[in-house]
Amino acid sequence: MKLRKIRFLAGAAVVSVFLASGCAAVSSGPMTYTDTLFDSVISVQIYDSRDQDILDGCQKLCQKYDVMFSRTNGESEVSMINSAQGNPVEVSPDTATLINKGLYYGKLSNAAFDITIGAVSSLWDFKSEDPAPPDTAAIAAALTHVDYKKVVVEGNTVTLQDPAAALDLGAVAKGYIADRLKDYLKGEGVHHALINLGGNVLAVGDKPAGSPFHIGIQKPFDESGIPLTSVRIDDKSIVTSGTYQRYFEKDGTLYHHILDPASGYPCNNGLASVSIITDSSLTADALSTTCFLLGPEKGLSLVNQLDNVEAVFVDIDNQITYSNNFQK
């Protein structure tokens, strides 16, 4: 068996900004915080401040949310909900807000996007030394517990009406966290920064000289690091969902991490990646997965109906399709 496992920074690579390591200020470049959280290598680069306390604040926020939103951390609020056996659970306003956002995209996509995919995603282990697709019967059983309509949020209290259901907020959490980091940085007087949470890239303003940040979109399954294309962002976010971010091959078949709530298996619709560019990283995060699951025609149609949202669709032959309002 030939096995390939490659983890990219969620499909969007920073091509014009060097990601320095560590937390200390760098005299010749931005002050940078890097870490490994959210199953990703993350970084926050600040260009117009040398205040270490601000960088430390970014670290505290990231570590706080890493615990709060994790499906696999038994101490997280998401795990508390999943293990409550249908009983109501009081959570933080952040968690309640994030769940409501996830439910919104479930409605918007007519269930193509579903945050109760946790019952299924828990069966797939992309970190295993010898990964394999789950048992067919196990997937079929788990699918009976996937239904976002059975999630009730009242204030800060969350109830799973199906006791065997499970939330997985992985498709929206990093976007939400990036937005909160941007709010924090702007509140601290930072006007030029770049947040990269495993490829969920969010620019605070532009570069100090006034030029935009150039962000590369990964060529699917290419290990050279040369981007397929790039975009310029100024006070915006770009998020990519792609088949090549987490995957394995078994008996000649590729299995990736973007699971279809209708089948329980990796989505197979001819797409290799979807990148969304817009103001909010949460919106970009949710829409990149939603549009991928909807497929090239329905996904592009959705984006073309939305204001201030641009998209780059890449198919399995590396052919690029841009949304109608994409700014080249």
Side-chain angles (χ1 to χ4, degrees):
M1 178 195 72
K2 181 182 179 183
L3 173 66
R4 296 194 307 162
K5 289 181 70 180
I6 301 175
R7 178 168 297 179
F8 295 98
L9 296 185
V14 180
V15 295
S16 64
V17 182
F18 176 74
L19 299 183
S21 60
C23 295
V26 182
S27 59
S28 60
M31 184 172 64
T32 303
Y33 156 60
T34 64
D35 210 337
T36 303
L37 297 170
F38 325 124
D39 264 346
S40 306
V41 176
I42 70 168
S43 70
V44 179
Q45 297 180 308
I46 301 175
Y47 288 80
D48 57 345
S49 174
R50 285 291 181 264
D51 188 342
Q52 183 65 38
D53 288 342
I54 296 177
L55 215 55
D56 292 343
C58 291
Q59 180 178 15
K60 290 177 183 177
L61 277 176
C62 288
Q63 292 175 345
K64 164 191 166 183
Y65 287 125
D66 185 49
V67 173
M68 188 179 293
F69 299 148
S70 171
R71 176 180 60 81
T72 57
N73 186 324
E75 297 180 359
S76 75
E77 294 189 344
V78 170
S79 292
M80 289 169 54
I81 296 168
N82 290 345
S83 61
Q85 298 183 325
N87 293 309
V89 177
E90 187 171 353
V91 296
S92 65
D94 282 306
T95 299
T97 297
L98 184 57
I99 291 172
N100 273 323
K101 291 290 187 181
L103 296 178
Y104 167 79
Y105 285 99
K107 296 174 185 176
L108 182 69
S109 65
N110 196 25
F113 179 97
D114 197 318
I115 59 172
T116 60
I117 193 69
V120 174
S121 59
S122 63
L123 300 175
W124 290 85
D125 185 359
F126 291 90
K127 297 180 181 179
S128 171
E129 290 298 318
D130 187 18
D135 178 74
T136 302
I139 290 179
L143 280 174
T144 65
H145 304 295
V146 177
D147 185 356
Y148 75 91
K149 296 177 183 178
K150 293 184 179 179
V151 181
V152 178
V153 182
E154 297 175 325
N156 294 330
T157 300
V158 181
T159 305
L160 298 182
Q161 294 180 324
D162 177 356
L167 298 177
D168 185 338
L169 303 180
V172 288
K174 286 193 292 184
Y176 181 85
I177 297 163
D179 287 338
R180 300 291 75 75
L181 282 168
K182 180 177 181 178
D183 291 343
Y184 165 73
L185 289 172
K186 294 182 76 171
E188 294 294 325
V190 173
H191 301 288
H192 307 280
L194 192 69
I195 300 162
N196 186 345
L197 303 187
N200 285 51
V201 178
L202 177 58
V204 179
D206 52 14
K207 292 182 181 180
S211 61
F213 292 97
H214 286 245
I215 310 298
I217 296 175
Q218 178 74 42
K219 183 178 181 180
F221 301 105
D222 183 86
E223 299 182 50
S224 70
I226 300 173
L228 183 65
T229 186
S230 64
V231 301
R232 297 185 298 272
I233 59 172
D234 175 348
D235 217 36
K236 287 183 179 289
S237 178
I238 175 171
V239 179
T240 301
S241 290
T243 58
Y244 51 88
Q245 296 159 355
R246 254 182 297 154
Y247 71 94
F248 62 85
E249 290 181 359
K250 185 76 170 182
D251 299 330
T253 300
L254 184 142
Y255 299 92
H256 61 81
H257 76 291
I258 306 175
L259 303 178
D260 185 349
S263 69
Y265 285 87
C267 184
N268 183 12
N269 57 20
L271 285 174
S273 74
V274 174
S275 300
I276 299 292
I277 304 100
T278 191
D279 293 340
S280 163
S281 194
L282 170 61
T283 301
D285 204 0
L287 281 177
S288 66
T289 303
T290 298
C291 291
F292 191 105
L293 290 166
L294 285 171
E297 293 183 5
K298 291 182 179 179
L300 198 58
S301 175
L302 173 60
V303 171
N304 287 334
Q305 296 175 48
L306 301 174
D307 294 331
N308 193 34
V309 177
E310 302 169 65
V312 182
F313 286 65
V314 179
D315 68 18
I316 57 176
D317 296 318
N318 293 334
Q319 297 300 305
I320 302 173
T321 302
Y322 298 96
S323 59
N324 290 343
N325 65 343
F326 183 82
Q327 301 294 316
K328 295 185 180 180

